[in-house]
Amino acid sequence: MHGPEGSEKEVLAAWREMRDILLPTKLHITALALNERRSWRIVTRGGVRIELGRESRNERLHRFVDLFDDMNATGRNIQYVDLRYDTGAAVGWKAPDEAPSEE
């Protein structure tokens, strides 16, 4: 967990809230950062980066949880989800593995 000097309690409290919100996805937070501009970023154990921005962080994280099953249904691996929008999200996908085809 990282944040500006003096933000330790705020970051810890946010981590607890976000951890609980993410429970339905089974994703675990490995890094939580609050930058100098007061913008939040999560990195999960699987390497998914979630950009929450400065405002409405819990509302945006709930939106991520609501979208999670649909994103997983694509069969692609998520690289990042940018939720810094009033509605919706931008999703970046990891490049597919170079696996041999099963022909």
Side-chain angles (χ1 to χ4, degrees):
M1 293 184 278
H2 305 281
E5 189 171 326
S7 67
E8 297 85 3
K9 289 181 182 179
E10 178 185 6
V11 173
L12 180 58
W15 174 79
R16 288 178 176 142
E17 290 175 358
M18 293 179 195
R19 175 196 61 192
D20 292 345
I21 293 169
L22 285 174
L23 279 175
T25 67
K26 296 187 174 38
L27 294 174
H28 299 279
I29 298 171
T30 58
L32 175 63
L34 174 63
N35 69 21
E36 295 293 332
R37 294 185 41 203
R38 312 294 296 168
S39 184
W40 293 91
R41 170 185 287 170
I42 295 171
V43 178
T44 69
R45 184 176 295 155
V48 176
R49 190 178 80 238
I50 304 169
E51 299 287 350
L52 297 171
R54 291 181 286 208
E55 301 172 9
S56 309
R57 74 167 187 254
N58 288 350
E59 177 184 319
R60 290 174 178 180
L61 195 55
H62 279 289
R63 185 181 330 140
F64 171 81
V65 171
D66 291 344
L67 295 169
F68 187 73
D69 287 340
D70 290 333
M71 290 185 289
N72 270 345
T74 66
R76 299 171 75 187
N77 293 320
I78 302 167
Q79 181 173 6
Y80 70 86
V81 179
D82 188 344
L83 296 151
R84 297 175 291 180
Y85 302 94
D86 291 335
T87 59
V91 180
W93 305 102
K94 292 181 180 174
D97 292 338
E98 297 292 324
S101 62
E102 299 178 349
E103 294 182 12

